[in-house]
Amino acid sequence: MNYQSKEHDKLKAIPEEQLPQVTAFQDEFTRKFMDSTKPVQEGYYLFRSGVNGYTMLFPENAKITDLAYSAPGSHFETMSFGGDYGKAEKNEVYYAKVQYRSTDFTEWSGDELGWVHSYFNFHDKFEKKGYAR
């Protein structure tokens, strides 16, 4: 991982038994991506990508599959995570795959944009926006 916030650096100093008693913090690999021990909203903590490309709400009962995590460089990252809904009697689980690519959609070729349009059923125009890295 290339970057984590200063708040994340503070997590390293907290003894494991004092971390939140949720899967996202009890799993050593997943904990590396958690930005703060304070929930952002009920049941969710702030996740910061390993390449610092994005943040998102991360379910407290989820963990990242370390074998399915890859970040070869600073412009691409892919990972999978999952967990259960806390309803053991129903045996319900969820699984998500996230892929990040640091690219400006306005510079993509027609074929790439066509794929995005069809895959996400997006039929509007892409608009170029500035952003800081």
Side-chain angles (χ1 to χ4, degrees), residues 86-104:
K87 301 173 185 173
E89 69 280 358
K90 291 188 177 184
N91 201 24
E92 295 176 339
V93 297
Y94 62 89
Y95 172 82
K97 183 173 182 174
V98 177
Q99 189 174 77
Y100 168 79
R101 181 176 171 183
S102 175
T103 283
D104 187 342

Side-chain angles (χ1 to χ4, degrees), residues 16 19-20 22-34 62-66:
E16 191 170 329
L19 291 169
V22 297
T23 305
F25 283 93
Q26 296 305 307
D27 179 70
E28 187 177 346
F29 185 74
T30 304
R31 184 183 327 131
K32 296 175 184 178
F33 299 91
M34 296 298 101
K63 69 179 182 178
I64 299 169
T65 308
D66 58 337

Side-chain angles (χ1 to χ4, degrees), residues 15-26 37 45 60-61:
E16 191 170 329
E17 61 275 2
Q18 292 179 13
L19 291 169
Q21 297 299 302
V22 297
T23 305
F25 283 93
Q26 296 305 307
T37 57
Y45 289 85
E60 66 183 10
N61 64 343

Side-chain angles (χ1 to χ4, degrees), residues 116-118 120-126:
V116 171
H117 282 282
S118 63
F120 293 105
N121 199 23
F122 180 79
H123 300 291
D124 207 346
K125 293 184 179 182
F126 287 101

